[in-house]
Amino acid sequence: MKEYEIVIIGGGSAGLASAIEAYKNGCKSILILERDKELGGILLQCIHNGFGLHMFSEELSGPAYAERYIEQLKELGIEYKVNSMVIHLSKDKIIQYVNPTEGYVSVKAKAVILAMGCRERTRGAIAIPGYRPSGIWTAGTAQRYLNMEGYLVGKRVFILGSGDIGLIMARRMTLEGAKVCGVAELMPYSNGLPRNIKQCLEDFDIPLYLSHTITNIKGKDRINSLVIAQVDDKLCPIKGTEKEFEVDTLLLSVGLIPENGLSEEADILLHEKTKGAIVNESYETSVEGIFACGNVLHVHDLVDYVSSEGMKAGRAAAKYMKGELTQKEGFQTEGKDGIGYVLPHKVNVDNVEDKIECMFRVTGIYKKAVIRVYKDGNLFKTIKKQHMAPAEMEKLILKKEEIEDIKSVLSIEAGYE
């Protein structure tokens, strides 16, 4: 069985960044396993621009952004395999994968970085009532068909969910000649970035129905119409508010779920809110030597943040290889009122170099609000925020000297003065 210092599962933005950073920090025996036919992950089907503003200080398309990292990878000579599907991962870091040329292969790693990304929530997961005709797609699948395969999946389209993929596909379908009848969102606010609401809906006069959901799908062979209705504060449809749309296609943009089948097989503990692994300040999971980063850890809104997280995981894995990571429990982090989750979930101060970056999401829309930070229940810091929304990741940077005295828990809450 061949052994590697680090095996990275997933060749998207997180996996590529972690491989490059691990190599630069002294690890030379690295293998990337990617199930698709080429590196780049979901970026390859995201032909719109808006990527790279943080990492490269310029606006790039998804494929152009991926190409920057792929070129670096090839220059460094890091080994990678495409068309290689990882089917098993054990907690003693044995990886089994299959591909057309090698067949069934087992390799052993001293450290593993999980970078498998996420998958889309389907119709079955949200239980929309009505018939089960053809013409119902997840937004990401429709995006791949259009941008990579050249197929337009419908001519009259409705979109459920205002996540960024759904908003971008509303614009993309319109540009390709389809009629987008509207976008319905269950919550009273959009789950997409403000720039996407402006550029993808408002600029094309596509209506956004907030606090609405689909109550019926009609059509036996192919969808021919659907009904939406307004929902109350308990998210139940309100009778008398129904609107019917004649459509031949429904796109679902109803959330993303970290792809954690392999994580579960390796007995890695998962977080109930993020659905990704529970990690510490080094992005190390509950299984020593296995790290996680990117959308398999928690769903991001910007690919630049995914790459940044991949770099941190790569550096940490390299430190682990050198024996420079101490294995100690440390203190916990928690999200209080108005905060969905805080990441990392645990912090061992001994492994923090000079500062730690906490990432979190709020659970509602906040304007002219404050973030309060508590150390062991005592208010430590108050930060004013003009605007916060669930669709936008928030960051809190704390210096090492600010957290050295925490004994049990670092808490973050959102509120008003």
Side-chain angles (χ1 to χ4, degrees), residues 252-284:
L252 302 176
S253 178
V254 290
L256 301 169
I257 305 168
E259 186 67 84
N260 266 306
L262 293 173
S263 308
E264 291 174 339
E265 186 181 11
D267 292 330
I268 291 169
L269 296 178
L270 302 183
H271 193 270
E272 62 177 358
K273 292 286 181 66
T274 64
K275 309 301 181 187
I278 293 174
V279 296
N280 62 18
E281 75 298 324
S282 303
Y283 293 90
E284 189 175 22

Side-chain angles (χ1 to χ4, degrees), residues 276-330:
I278 293 174
V279 296
N280 62 18
E281 75 298 324
S282 303
Y283 293 90
E284 189 175 22
T285 68
S286 58
V287 176
E288 183 181 329
I290 299 183
F291 301 78
C293 58
N295 283 341
V296 78
L297 181 58
H298 60 139
V299 177
H300 292 65
D301 47 335
L302 295 177
V303 72
D304 302 67
Y305 293 169
V306 172
S307 297
S308 175
E309 203 168 88
M311 292 170 68
K312 292 173 189 173
R315 279 197 298 271
K319 278 187 172 184
Y320 176 80
M321 294 303 306
K322 299 172 190 173
E324 295 175 2
L325 282 188
T326 61
Q327 300 292 327
K328 193 172 76 174
E329 192 66 19

Side-chain angles (χ1 to χ4, degrees), residues 23 28 52 58 64 74-75 143 186 207 220 260 270 281 313 316 355 363 414:
Y23 187 94
K28 306 304 181 195
E58 59 180 302
K74 291 179 177 178
E75 285 173 8
Q143 184 184 55
L186 183 66
K220 291 189 177 179
N260 266 306
L270 302 183
E281 75 298 324
K355 62 184 178 182
T363 57

Side-chain angles (χ1 to χ4, degrees), residues 28-186:
K28 306 304 181 195
S29 174
I30 300 171
L31 172 65
I32 298 176
L33 295 171
E34 168 56 47
R35 67 182 177 185
D36 211 342
K37 62 184 178 182
E38 51 190 324
L39 296 171
I42 204 70
L43 286 167
L44 300 181
Q45 68 185 54
C46 300
I47 64 173
H48 53 279
N49 59 6
F51 303 95
L53 290 170
H54 295 271
M55 296 302 293
F56 300 111
S57 298
E58 59 180 302
E59 204 170 22
L60 302 169
S61 68
Y65 183 95
E67 188 178 18
R68 298 280 178 100
Y69 283 97
I70 294 168
E71 286 178 353
Q72 288 184 58
L73 188 86
K74 291 179 177 178
E75 285 173 8
L76 296 174
I78 297 172
E79 185 180 355
Y80 66 89
K81 295 180 186 293
V82 294
N83 290 318
S84 298
M85 180 74 180
V86 176
I87 53 176
H88 293 297
L89 168 66
S90 66
K91 57 185 176 183
D92 55 359
K93 298 181 277 295
I94 293 176
I95 300 102
Q96 296 172 329
Y97 67 91
V98 291
N99 66 32
T101 55
E102 297 174 284
Y104 192 102
V105 184
S106 294
V107 295
K108 182 162 178 55
K110 295 178 181 176
V112 175
I113 298 177
L114 306 177
M116 295 91 73
C118 55
R119 54 187 165 87
E120 295 178 279
R121 192 175 274 114
T122 62
R123 177 188 176 177
I126 57 173
I128 303 173
Y131 288 99
R132 298 180 62 187
S134 64
I136 302 173
W137 307 77
T138 59
T141 302
Q143 184 184 55
R144 183 180 180 93
Y145 267 91
L146 182 55
N147 293 346
M148 299 187 74
E149 313 296 338
Y151 296 106
L152 186 65
V153 297
K155 295 292 183 68
R156 287 185 63 83
V157 184
F158 196 90
I159 298 172
L160 178 62
S162 61
D164 288 312
I165 303 172
L167 298 178
I168 288 164
M169 281 306 291
R171 175 180 62 185
R172 188 78 182 93
M173 297 290 281
T174 302
L175 291 173
E176 288 297 329
K179 168 66 177 175
V180 179
C181 301
V183 177
E185 169 57 52
L186 183 66

